[in-house]
Amino acid sequence: MPATDKTERIEHLTPTYTFREDRLEALRRAVPEAFADGELDWEALRHLLAEHLTEEEEESVEHFGLTWPGKRRARRAAHIRPEGTLKPAPGEGLDEETTRNLYIEGDNLEVLKLLQKSYAGKVKMIYIDPPYNTGNDFVYPDDYSQPVEQYLKLTGQKDDEGRATTTNPKSSGRFHSNWLNMMYPRLVLARELLAEDGVIFVSIDDNEVANLKLLFDEVFGVEQFEALISWQKRYTRSNNTVDITNVVESIVVYSKSPSFEVNLLPRTADADARYSNPDNDHRGPWKGASFLNPLSPQKRPNLCYPIQNPKTGQTTLPTKKAWRISKEAYTELGKEGRLYWGADGTNAVPSVKQFLSEARRLTPINFWSHDYAGNTDEGTSDLSKLILGGIFDNPKPIKLVKRVLEHSTSLDSLILDFFSGSSTTAQAVLELNREDGGNRRFIMVQLPEPTGNPEFPTIAEIGKERIRRVVKRMKEEAAESEEVKEKLAERSEPEDLGFRVFKLDRSNFRAWNPYEGKNTGELAGLFDQEPLVEGWKKEDLLTEILLQQGYPLDSTVEEVGEIETNQLLRVTCSFFETPLYISLDPKIAPETIEQLPLTSENRFICLDSALTDQSKVRLVDRCRLIVI
């Protein structure tokens, strides 16, 4: 094969990714006839689906749902390619070389997009406490055309102007619309990140709960609604207002798919106290369940049959209510001694023994009292024990987030909070892991919103410092408490008390602007431009490459020591069976090419300018070569 043919097989690294490509590819495989010249043909797709459309749908009439000004633009926003990247901030975290926990500073819309390729389908639970839209809350002023430039201005990183955070006053004619436009694309992206058995919990007050539920119905599907939990945030009334005192908030819960199963609660002493053993059954305490069905014999004729008391011989037929179980089940329960005919054995209708030893754990309910899930006073106290109070409004209590974790995660789950605030969720994850031996991991995302506090100038600084102080306290407890030492000794792997910090910034790749001139001779110069921005750094570009290739930010990156002529990095994670190899050196020596431990399954990424034509041909024969 000629060299020119081989070099055509070289892949070029694309600077951004959205899950739109995956969706289009899935659609292309399912209905290839709906595509023409590589593009989706809407009319062809509509024609293919014609037999499944109702007459009303064909006529595009109005239908039930939530609509508002700007919805179409908000829907598209989730699919606009990200233009930024995440850059590591070494020294701002803890145990950065080994931890799998992440803290990301940035506009969460852009960050959620950047996480798509690496984390889609990997997150078990999302908990967020977004702005409640009370009229004074900050609402992210999304600029879908230049999100990173807007973000840098907003946070004062681009120039001295900085832009003050904005509120969404109730006097605005688009009061609800502004909030919905903010939430819609973020929920779309959040759904993609959830695992098939994943679930999302969203704290919200009465002001937007109705709209939020309708929004979820559209994005997640009505059938994925799990619960609307009422959390008793206060335990006393405010008697100095003319309004009805609000003592509860809502938590909206939706699952990704029917695969989600809520975790049952541990049994309580009160629940177990309902069991006794009046007949000294060798199987232990039990409680009686009714033998009667709520429905009448007319409605359940198959559950109408004569039963006979084994002591008195009395035969009984159902009259007002049918029996609860079939005749076959009744016979089997009698053989097993699970029917109880009363203390003296003469009742006409038995009860069914349910033994404590066989009792399941407790089903959660949708009212969480303050003693079960904490209250706002506890949230403030939780934070003030670590950081001086008064610098963050209304933090959620640790107990509340722990309840969310207990109901929805396993010991090794990945948890995401993209309105992370003061990092209550991170603290809850760390503390619960110590309590039950778990290895849950967290990803916190927070805009560095200004606070006006010189010690903690942004909310992101509060969040990071809170995690540091929680870890410091937990390490002190581990050193001083024999009970904690014993618990840690029982763990299957070391406790992760660290986190790494990443910050949203401009991409390391030059922006590609379509040529609008008329002189075709100018085009040659465009292709001679360097693909990377001036002053790019290896560590920053490495992170961007990992995200583009679908590797998580906690991947293991190690230098291949046996390669002496160039720096070669090997990247591994549980998502991929074969390692990814990367060299960002300006030139790659011929001897390096020969020593690379590559197979046809490996990807090797390097600078295009680092290779000779001969080296490219050699590498194409051995691996998937991707050049920058």
Side-chain angles (χ1 to χ4, degrees):
M1 178 181 292
T4 54
D5 293 336
K6 289 185 178 181
T7 55
E8 288 178 359
R9 305 205 310 258
I10 298 174
E11 300 176 36
H12 290 265
L13 195 65
T14 55
T16 54
Y17 166 84
T18 88
F19 64 87
R20 178 177 180 272
E21 282 85 352
D22 285 350
R23 285 183 162 184
L24 283 174
E25 182 57 33
L27 185 60
R28 183 180 286 108
R29 289 194 298 268
V31 281
E33 57 269 48
F35 288 79
D37 295 327
E39 298 294 329
L40 178 61
D41 185 333
W42 287 104
E43 287 303 316
L45 181 61
R46 188 176 185 84
H47 178 73
L48 290 167
L49 298 176
E51 62 179 291
H52 303 290
L53 299 177
T54 66
E55 183 178 345
E56 289 79 7
E57 288 171 322
E58 285 285 2
E59 296 174 358
S60 300
V61 298
E62 294 179 353
H63 59 277
F64 177 79
L66 180 64
T67 186
W68 66 89
K71 179 179 180 180
R72 183 176 299 178
R73 189 164 179 254
R75 180 186 285 133
R76 291 174 179 167
H79 303 281
I80 296 174
R81 289 179 179 272
E83 65 169 31
T85 189
L86 301 179
K87 294 188 177 181
E92 294 193 28
L94 297 169
D95 297 334
E96 296 172 336
E97 296 301 318
T98 58
T99 185
R100 302 187 68 192
N101 298 316
L102 307 174
Y103 190 99
I104 302 174
E105 278 189 38
D107 175 0
N108 53 20
L109 180 60
E110 188 77 355
V111 171
L112 289 173
K113 292 179 182 180
L114 291 168
L115 296 179
Q116 288 297 314
K117 193 165 187 179
S118 296
Y119 291 94
K122 305 296 192 303
V123 177
K124 182 63 169 69
M125 189 276 285
I126 296 173
Y127 171 76
I128 56 173
D129 182 19
Y132 280 5
N133 204 24
T134 61
N136 300 312
D137 294 312
F138 172 79
V139 174
Y140 291 37
D142 294 319
D143 179 349
Y144 304 135
S145 60
Q146 290 187 311
V148 176
E149 290 301 306
Q150 173 206 257
Y151 163 73
L152 294 175
K153 289 180 181 178
L154 181 68
T155 54
Q157 297 179 58
K158 184 176 181 183
D159 50 39
D160 294 333
E161 297 176 10
R163 191 165 57 177
T165 56
T166 61
T167 57
N168 190 32
K170 289 188 175 182
S171 58
S172 168
R174 296 169 62 94
F175 175 64
H176 292 289
S177 298
N178 291 338
W179 190 84
L180 290 167
N181 286 331
M182 178 192 72
M183 292 298 295
Y184 190 97
R186 290 165 172 83
L187 291 183
V188 170
L189 293 164
R191 184 184 181 278
E192 294 301 319
L193 291 173
L194 281 175
E196 282 303 299
D197 62 347
V199 63
I200 180 170
F201 292 72
V202 182
S203 286
I204 196 68
D205 69 355
D206 292 350
N207 202 50
E208 292 289 358
V209 64
N211 288 332
L212 180 62
K213 189 174 183 308
L214 288 173
L215 195 61
F216 263 110
D217 286 344
E218 179 170 329
V219 175
F220 279 68
V222 177
E223 65 280 1
Q224 297 316 130
F225 171 69
E226 296 290 340
L228 183 62
I229 297 169
S230 291
W231 167 53
Q232 188 184 15
K233 65 175 183 177
R234 299 174 61 182
Y235 53 91
T236 57
R237 75 182 70 226
S238 176
N239 213 34
N240 57 358
T241 69
V242 296
D243 300 318
I244 297 174
T245 300
N246 189 343
V247 298
V248 298
E249 281 185 8
S250 297
I251 303 176
V252 181
V253 187
Y254 276 74
S255 58
K256 171 76 172 284
S257 78
S259 300
F260 169 71
E261 292 184 5
V262 68
N263 295 336
L264 301 181
L265 296 169
R267 297 193 61 81
T268 65
D270 287 342
D272 291 351
R274 300 187 180 98
Y275 291 77
S276 62
N277 196 358
D279 59 351
N280 294 316
D281 193 305
H282 69 280
R283 288 165 288 193
W286 55 271
K287 69 176 182 178
S290 175
F291 196 73
L292 299 177
N293 197 308
L295 299 176
S296 67
Q298 290 76 23
K299 292 185 177 181
R300 286 290 184 269
N302 59 318
L303 297 178
C304 296
Y305 50 88
I307 61 174
Q308 187 178 56
N309 183 302
K311 182 175 182 179
T312 65
Q314 177 186 353
T315 298
T316 304
L317 283 167
T319 54
K320 295 181 180 180
K321 295 182 178 181
W323 306 139
R324 187 180 291 273
I325 60 177
S326 67
K327 185 175 182 179
E328 293 75 17
Y330 162 74
T331 302
E332 191 63 29
L333 289 174
K335 291 178 181 179
E336 295 176 358
R338 290 177 178 261
L339 297 177
Y340 183 66
W341 299 88
D344 59 0
T346 61
N347 289 358
V349 178
S351 57
V352 179
K353 288 184 177 182
Q354 295 182 333
F355 292 95
L356 176 59
S357 59
E358 300 171 353
R360 57 177 260 163
R361 290 158 66 94
L362 301 181
T363 303
I365 62 174
N366 64 354
F367 175 71
W368 291 6
S369 64
H370 72 92
D371 56 346
Y372 174 73
N375 54 64
T376 53
D377 289 347
E378 288 182 28
T380 301
S381 175
D382 290 338
L383 184 58
S384 63
K385 290 176 182 176
L386 297 161
I387 299 175
L388 292 176
I391 62 172
F392 189 87
D393 295 332
N394 304 316
K396 289 296 185 287
I398 297 296
K399 189 183 291 187
L400 173 68
V401 184
K402 280 186 180 178
R403 292 304 186 195
V404 170
L405 293 167
E406 290 168 351
H407 286 308
S408 61
T409 69
S410 57
L411 295 179
D412 59 352
S413 293
L414 176 61
I415 292 94
L416 169 65
D417 183 345
F418 55 88
F419 285 99
S420 64
S422 67
S423 293
T424 302
T425 301
Q427 181 175 350
V429 169
L430 294 174
E431 291 187 0
L432 186 59
N433 279 345
R434 172 161 290 185
E435 291 169 15
D436 64 9
N439 297 298
R440 298 172 188 84
R441 295 165 287 133
F442 64 73
I443 302 176
M444 300 291 105
V445 183
Q446 177 58 44
L447 186 80
E449 181 184 344
T451 63
N453 184 291
E455 185 178 5
F456 303 106
T458 69
I459 291 179
E461 293 301 324
I462 296 173
K464 289 182 290 186
E465 184 59 22
R466 179 177 191 167
I467 300 173
R468 297 185 194 107
R469 296 189 184 189
V470 167
V471 170
K472 181 175 182 292
R473 186 180 67 185
M474 292 179 68
K475 287 182 176 180
E476 290 172 352
E477 291 173 351
E480 298 169 1
S481 169
E482 292 300 323
E483 181 181 351
V484 173
K485 289 179 183 177
E486 292 176 6
K487 186 174 291 187
L488 293 177
E490 296 171 355
R491 293 179 58 90
S492 59
E493 57 184 84
E495 187 177 40
D496 186 351
L497 293 180
F499 69 103
R500 296 180 65 191
V501 177
F502 293 86
K503 297 183 180 183
L504 178 64
D505 209 332
R506 297 181 183 88
S507 172
N508 295 286
F509 291 83
R510 290 185 185 275
W512 174 258
N513 297 314
Y515 177 68
E516 297 179 354
K518 296 181 179 180
N519 183 2
T520 56
E522 298 175 355
L523 289 173
L526 295 177
F527 293 102
D528 293 335
Q529 290 184 359
E530 289 293 324
L532 301 175
V533 299
E534 188 176 350
W536 63 272
K537 298 178 180 178
K538 281 187 177 183
E539 56 271 26
D540 295 342
L541 181 57
L542 174 62
T543 300
E544 189 162 3
I545 290 172
L546 294 184
L547 289 171
Q548 292 167 10
Q549 294 297 305
Y551 280 76
L553 294 170
D554 61 351
S555 297
T556 299
V557 180
E558 53 189 350
E559 190 167 347
V560 181
E562 56 267 26
I563 306 295
E564 297 180 357
T565 47
N566 289 101
Q567 183 188 45
L568 179 68
L569 302 177
R570 180 193 292 114
V571 184
T572 56
C573 73
S574 59
F575 299 171
F576 298 97
E577 294 182 1
T578 56
L580 168 70
Y581 289 96
I582 301 173
S583 177
L584 298 177
D585 288 351
K587 293 295 179 183
I588 297 179
E591 51 267 37
T592 298
I593 304 296
E594 299 306 317
Q595 296 176 25
L596 290 173
L598 301 173
T599 70
S600 60
E601 301 298 319
N602 289 129
R603 284 172 284 178
F604 176 60
I605 298 177
C606 65
L607 303 178
D608 188 24
S609 58
L611 298 173
T612 65
D613 288 343
Q614 288 182 331
S615 297
K616 291 177 183 178
V617 173
R618 179 74 180 108
L619 285 168
V620 165
D621 282 337
R622 297 176 57 198
C623 65
R624 284 181 56 194
L625 175 60
I626 304 172
V627 298
I628 302 171

